């Protein structure tokens, strides 16, 4: 999830810092990402600064609980969650070295899942060339056979 700034102001009221977790609290409730810049936060997002918990662990926990946060949303025009719901989440707090180990493992699994879900353009090119080679001469082995 990236951040797309769509509005600008010269009178900011809520400011996030680089590295803060930005959490959607209205409409797309539960979506979260780490801020790559300083942002003025509007009504639909909250900035969370991890102090007693490793930031990456908090981000993973928020993403894991996105559905329950969304289910807690109320409102008729725009569903949203309030501060009490956001900060009322139970968060496990293992010792910092364990938090870092958990985050490293989850980041690795997330990266592997992303790679498996989104083949790189290079892999698509190999498959396309191999398929064309096979279609030209189906009796000869193609590059696909050598990739296995």
């Amino acid at each position: 999830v990236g951040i797309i700034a769509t509005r600008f102001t010269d009178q900011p009221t809520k400011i996030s810092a680089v590295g803060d977790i930005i959490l959607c609290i209205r409409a797309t409730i539960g979506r979260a990402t780490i801020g790559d810049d300083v942002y003025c936060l509007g009504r639909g997002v909250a900035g969370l600064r991890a102090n007693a918990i490793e930031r990456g662990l908090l981000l993973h926990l928020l993403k894991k609980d996105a559905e329950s946060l969304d289910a807690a949303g109320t409102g008729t025009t725009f569903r949203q969650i309030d501060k009490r719901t956001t900060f009322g989440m139970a968060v496990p707090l293992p010792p910092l070295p364990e938090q870092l180990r958990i985050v490293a493992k989850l980041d690795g699994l997330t990266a592997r899942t992303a790679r498996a879900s989104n083949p790189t353009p290079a892999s698509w090119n190999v498959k396309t060339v191999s398929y064309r080679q096979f279609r030209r001469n189906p009796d000869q082995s193609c590059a696909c056979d050598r990739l296995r």
Side-chain angles (χ1 to χ4, degrees), residues 77-88:
T77 305
F78 291 106
R79 291 181 49 258
Q80 61 186 23
I81 55 174
D82 59 12
K83 188 183 255 187
R84 188 175 38 209
T85 302
T86 306
F87 292 104

mmCIF file with all atom_site columns, all heavy atoms in Angstrom, residues 77-88:
data_model
loop_
_atom_site.group_PDB
_atom_site.id
_atom_site.type_symbol
_atom_site.label_atom_id
_atom_site.label_alt_id
_atom_site.label_comp_id
_atom_site.label_asym_id
_atom_site.label_entity_id
_atom_site.label_seq_id
_atom_site.pdbx_PDB_ins_code
_atom_site.Cartn_x
_atom_site.Cartn_y
_atom_site.Cartn_z
_atom_site.occupancy
_atom_site.B_iso_or_equiv
_atom_site.pdbx_formal_charge
_atom_site.auth_seq_id
_atom_site.auth_comp_id
_atom_site.auth_asym_id
_atom_site.auth_atom_id
_atom_site.pdbx_PDB_model_num
ATOM 1   N N   . THR A 1 77 ? -23.017 7.508  6.413  1.00 0.00 ? 77 THR A N   1
ATOM 2   C CA  . THR A 1 77 ? -22.453 8.086  5.189  1.00 0.00 ? 77 THR A CA  1
ATOM 3   C C   . THR A 1 77 ? -21.060 7.536  4.936  1.00 0.00 ? 77 THR A C   1
ATOM 4   O O   . THR A 1 77 ? -20.769 7.016  3.863  1.00 0.00 ? 77 THR A O   1
ATOM 5   C CB  . THR A 1 77 ? -22.393 9.622  5.298  1.00 0.00 ? 77 THR A CB  1
ATOM 6   O OG1 . THR A 1 77 ? -23.706 10.096 5.601  1.00 0.00 ? 77 THR A OG1 1
ATOM 7   C CG2 . THR A 1 77 ? -21.923 10.228 3.999  1.00 0.00 ? 77 THR A CG2 1
ATOM 8   N N   . PHE A 1 78 ? -20.190 7.656  5.935  1.00 0.00 ? 78 PHE A N   1
ATOM 9   C CA  . PHE A 1 78 ? -18.846 7.096  5.874  1.00 0.00 ? 78 PHE A CA  1
ATOM 10  C C   . PHE A 1 78 ? -18.632 6.256  7.124  1.00 0.00 ? 78 PHE A C   1
ATOM 11  O O   . PHE A 1 78 ? -18.743 6.767  8.227  1.00 0.00 ? 78 PHE A O   1
ATOM 12  C CB  . PHE A 1 78 ? -17.767 8.195  5.842  1.00 0.00 ? 78 PHE A CB  1
ATOM 13  C CG  . PHE A 1 78 ? -17.727 8.992  4.594  1.00 0.00 ? 78 PHE A CG  1
ATOM 14  C CD1 . PHE A 1 78 ? -18.202 10.291 4.576  1.00 0.00 ? 78 PHE A CD1 1
ATOM 15  C CD2 . PHE A 1 78 ? -17.208 8.458  3.433  1.00 0.00 ? 78 PHE A CD2 1
ATOM 16  C CE1 . PHE A 1 78 ? -18.164 11.044 3.424  1.00 0.00 ? 78 PHE A CE1 1
ATOM 17  C CE2 . PHE A 1 78 ? -17.167 9.203  2.274  1.00 0.00 ? 78 PHE A CE2 1
ATOM 18  C CZ  . PHE A 1 78 ? -17.643 10.496 2.260  1.00 0.00 ? 78 PHE A CZ  1
ATOM 19  N N   . ARG A 1 79 ? -18.346 4.987  6.916  1.00 0.00 ? 79 ARG A N   1
ATOM 20  C CA  . ARG A 1 79 ? -18.004 4.154  8.074  1.00 0.00 ? 79 ARG A CA  1
ATOM 21  C C   . ARG A 1 79 ? -16.623 4.559  8.549  1.00 0.00 ? 79 ARG A C   1
ATOM 22  O O   . ARG A 1 79 ? -15.732 4.836  7.754  1.00 0.00 ? 79 ARG A O   1
ATOM 23  C CB  . ARG A 1 79 ? -18.027 2.677  7.676  1.00 0.00 ? 79 ARG A CB  1
ATOM 24  C CG  . ARG A 1 79 ? -19.431 2.194  7.379  1.00 0.00 ? 79 ARG A CG  1
ATOM 25  C CD  . ARG A 1 79 ? -19.510 0.723  6.992  1.00 0.00 ? 79 ARG A CD  1
ATOM 26  N NE  . ARG A 1 79 ? -18.808 -0.167 7.895  1.00 0.00 ? 79 ARG A NE  1
ATOM 27  C CZ  . ARG A 1 79 ? -17.608 -0.698 7.658  1.00 0.00 ? 79 ARG A CZ  1
ATOM 28  N NH1 . ARG A 1 79 ? -16.997 -0.478 6.548  1.00 0.00 ? 79 ARG A NH1 1
ATOM 29  N NH2 . ARG A 1 79 ? -17.035 -1.498 8.529  1.00 0.00 ? 79 ARG A NH2 1
ATOM 30  N N   . GLN A 1 80 ? -16.447 4.580  9.861  1.00 0.00 ? 80 GLN A N   1
ATOM 31  C CA  . GLN A 1 80 ? -15.141 4.923  10.411 1.00 0.00 ? 80 GLN A CA  1
ATOM 32  C C   . GLN A 1 80 ? -14.978 4.298  11.785 1.00 0.00 ? 80 GLN A C   1
ATOM 33  O O   . GLN A 1 80 ? -15.944 3.841  12.384 1.00 0.00 ? 80 GLN A O   1
ATOM 34  C CB  . GLN A 1 80 ? -14.963 6.438  10.498 1.00 0.00 ? 80 GLN A CB  1
ATOM 35  C CG  . GLN A 1 80 ? -15.961 7.133  11.394 1.00 0.00 ? 80 GLN A CG  1
ATOM 36  C CD  . GLN A 1 80 ? -15.809 8.649  11.312 1.00 0.00 ? 80 GLN A CD  1
ATOM 37  O OE1 . GLN A 1 80 ? -15.300 9.186  10.344 1.00 0.00 ? 80 GLN A OE1 1
ATOM 38  N NE2 . GLN A 1 80 ? -16.252 9.331  12.345 1.00 0.00 ? 80 GLN A NE2 1
ATOM 39  N N   . ILE A 1 81 ? -13.726 4.259  12.225 1.00 0.00 ? 81 ILE A N   1
ATOM 40  C CA  . ILE A 1 81 ? -13.447 3.803  13.589 1.00 0.00 ? 81 ILE A CA  1
ATOM 41  C C   . ILE A 1 81 ? -12.936 4.996  14.380 1.00 0.00 ? 81 ILE A C   1
ATOM 42  O O   . ILE A 1 81 ? -12.347 5.918  13.824 1.00 0.00 ? 81 ILE A O   1
ATOM 43  C CB  . ILE A 1 81 ? -12.443 2.629  13.631 1.00 0.00 ? 81 ILE A CB  1
ATOM 44  C CG1 . ILE A 1 81 ? -11.143 2.973  12.903 1.00 0.00 ? 81 ILE A CG1 1
ATOM 45  C CG2 . ILE A 1 81 ? -13.065 1.367  13.064 1.00 0.00 ? 81 ILE A CG2 1
ATOM 46  C CD1 . ILE A 1 81 ? -10.067 1.913  13.025 1.00 0.00 ? 81 ILE A CD1 1
ATOM 47  N N   . ASP A 1 82 ? -13.155 4.962  15.684 1.00 0.00 ? 82 ASP A N   1
ATOM 48  C CA  . ASP A 1 82 ? -12.721 6.079  16.516 1.00 0.00 ? 82 ASP A CA  1
ATOM 49  C C   . ASP A 1 82 ? -11.401 5.741  17.217 1.00 0.00 ? 82 ASP A C   1
ATOM 50  O O   . ASP A 1 82 ? -10.874 4.639  17.118 1.00 0.00 ? 82 ASP A O   1
ATOM 51  C CB  . ASP A 1 82 ? -13.796 6.461  17.530 1.00 0.00 ? 82 ASP A CB  1
ATOM 52  C CG  . ASP A 1 82 ? -14.182 5.314  18.463 1.00 0.00 ? 82 ASP A CG  1
ATOM 53  O OD1 . ASP A 1 82 ? -13.480 4.290  18.486 1.00 0.00 ? 82 ASP A OD1 1
ATOM 54  O OD2 . ASP A 1 82 ? -15.197 5.465  19.161 1.00 0.00 ? 82 ASP A OD2 1
ATOM 55  N N   . LYS A 1 83 ? -10.889 6.717  17.945 1.00 0.00 ? 83 LYS A N   1
ATOM 56  C CA  . LYS A 1 83 ? -9.605  6.568  18.649 1.00 0.00 ? 83 LYS A CA  1
ATOM 57  C C   . LYS A 1 83 ? -9.664  5.433  19.663 1.00 0.00 ? 83 LYS A C   1
ATOM 58  O O   . LYS A 1 83 ? -8.712  4.678  19.818 1.00 0.00 ? 83 LYS A O   1
ATOM 59  C CB  . LYS A 1 83 ? -9.251  7.882  19.330 1.00 0.00 ? 83 LYS A CB  1
ATOM 60  C CG  . LYS A 1 83 ? -7.872  7.908  19.934 1.00 0.00 ? 83 LYS A CG  1
ATOM 61  C CD  . LYS A 1 83 ? -7.622  9.212  20.648 1.00 0.00 ? 83 LYS A CD  1
ATOM 62  C CE  . LYS A 1 83 ? -6.701  10.059 19.824 1.00 0.00 ? 83 LYS A CE  1
ATOM 63  N NZ  . LYS A 1 83 ? -6.298  11.282 20.542 1.00 0.00 ? 83 LYS A NZ  1
ATOM 64  N N   . ARG A 1 84 ? -10.787 5.297  20.342 1.00 0.00 ? 84 ARG A N   1
ATOM 65  C CA  . ARG A 1 84 ? -10.930 4.250  21.358 1.00 0.00 ? 84 ARG A CA  1
ATOM 66  C C   . ARG A 1 84 ? -10.790 2.864  20.720 1.00 0.00 ? 84 ARG A C   1
ATOM 67  O O   . ARG A 1 84 ? -10.141 1.982  21.265 1.00 0.00 ? 84 ARG A O   1
ATOM 68  C CB  . ARG A 1 84 ? -12.281 4.397  22.062 1.00 0.00 ? 84 ARG A CB  1
ATOM 69  C CG  . ARG A 1 84 ? -12.444 3.500  23.246 1.00 0.00 ? 84 ARG A CG  1
ATOM 70  C CD  . ARG A 1 84 ? -13.735 3.777  23.981 1.00 0.00 ? 84 ARG A CD  1
ATOM 71  N NE  . ARG A 1 84 ? -14.816 4.084  23.044 1.00 0.00 ? 84 ARG A NE  1
ATOM 72  C CZ  . ARG A 1 84 ? -15.853 4.863  23.313 1.00 0.00 ? 84 ARG A CZ  1
ATOM 73  N NH1 . ARG A 1 84 ? -15.978 5.396  24.485 1.00 0.00 ? 84 ARG A NH1 1
ATOM 74  N NH2 . ARG A 1 84 ? -16.773 5.084  22.418 1.00 0.00 ? 84 ARG A NH2 1
ATOM 75  N N   . THR A 1 85 ? -11.375 2.670  19.527 1.00 0.00 ? 85 THR A N   1
ATOM 76  C CA  . THR A 1 85 ? -11.259 1.390  18.828 1.00 0.00 ? 85 THR A CA  1
ATOM 77  C C   . THR A 1 85 ? -9.819  1.154  18.384 1.00 0.00 ? 85 THR A C   1
ATOM 78  O O   . THR A 1 85 ? -9.265  0.072  18.567 1.00 0.00 ? 85 THR A O   1
ATOM 79  C CB  . THR A 1 85 ? -12.189 1.355  17.595 1.00 0.00 ? 85 THR A CB  1
ATOM 80  O OG1 . THR A 1 85 ? -13.528 1.583  18.029 1.00 0.00 ? 85 THR A OG1 1
ATOM 81  C CG2 . THR A 1 85 ? -12.099 0.030  16.869 1.00 0.00 ? 85 THR A CG2 1
ATOM 82  N N   . THR A 1 86 ? -9.214  2.179  17.825 1.00 0.00 ? 86 THR A N   1
ATOM 83  C CA  . THR A 1 86 ? -7.842  2.056  17.327 1.00 0.00 ? 86 THR A CA  1
ATOM 84  C C   . THR A 1 86 ? -6.870  1.725  18.447 1.00 0.00 ? 86 THR A C   1
ATOM 85  O O   . THR A 1 86 ? -6.055  0.811  18.325 1.00 0.00 ? 86 THR A O   1
ATOM 86  C CB  . THR A 1 86 ? -7.405  3.367  16.645 1.00 0.00 ? 86 THR A CB  1
ATOM 87  O OG1 . THR A 1 86 ? -8.353  3.720  15.653 1.00 0.00 ? 86 THR A OG1 1
ATOM 88  C CG2 . THR A 1 86 ? -6.046  3.213  15.995 1.00 0.00 ? 86 THR A CG2 1
ATOM 89  N N   . PHE A 1 87 ? -6.957  2.448  19.538 1.00 0.00 ? 87 PHE A N   1
ATOM 90  C CA  . PHE A 1 87 ? -6.001  2.255  20.618 1.00 0.00 ? 87 PHE A CA  1
ATOM 91  C C   . PHE A 1 87 ? -6.449  1.210  21.633 1.00 0.00 ? 87 PHE A C   1
ATOM 92  O O   . PHE A 1 87 ? -5.726  0.919  22.577 1.00 0.00 ? 87 PHE A O   1
ATOM 93  C CB  . PHE A 1 87 ? -5.701  3.587  21.307 1.00 0.00 ? 87 PHE A CB  1
ATOM 94  C CG  . PHE A 1 87 ? -4.945  4.523  20.414 1.00 0.00 ? 87 PHE A CG  1
ATOM 95  C CD1 . PHE A 1 87 ? -5.578  5.592  19.811 1.00 0.00 ? 87 PHE A CD1 1
ATOM 96  C CD2 . PHE A 1 87 ? -3.606  4.300  20.139 1.00 0.00 ? 87 PHE A CD2 1
ATOM 97  C CE1 . PHE A 1 87 ? -4.884  6.440  18.965 1.00 0.00 ? 87 PHE A CE1 1
ATOM 98  C CE2 . PHE A 1 87 ? -2.905  5.151  19.293 1.00 0.00 ? 87 PHE A CE2 1
ATOM 99  C CZ  . PHE A 1 87 ? -3.545  6.224  18.703 1.00 0.00 ? 87 PHE A CZ  1
ATOM 100 N N   . GLY A 1 88 ? -7.614  0.632  21.429 1.00 0.00 ? 88 GLY A N   1
ATOM 101 C CA  . GLY A 1 88 ? -8.107  -0.400 22.330 1.00 0.00 ? 88 GLY A CA  1
ATOM 102 C C   . GLY A 1 88 ? -7.722  -1.802 21.905 1.00 0.00 ? 88 GLY A C   1
ATOM 103 O O   . GLY A 1 88 ? -8.100  -2.779 22.542 1.00 0.00 ? 88 GLY A O   1
#
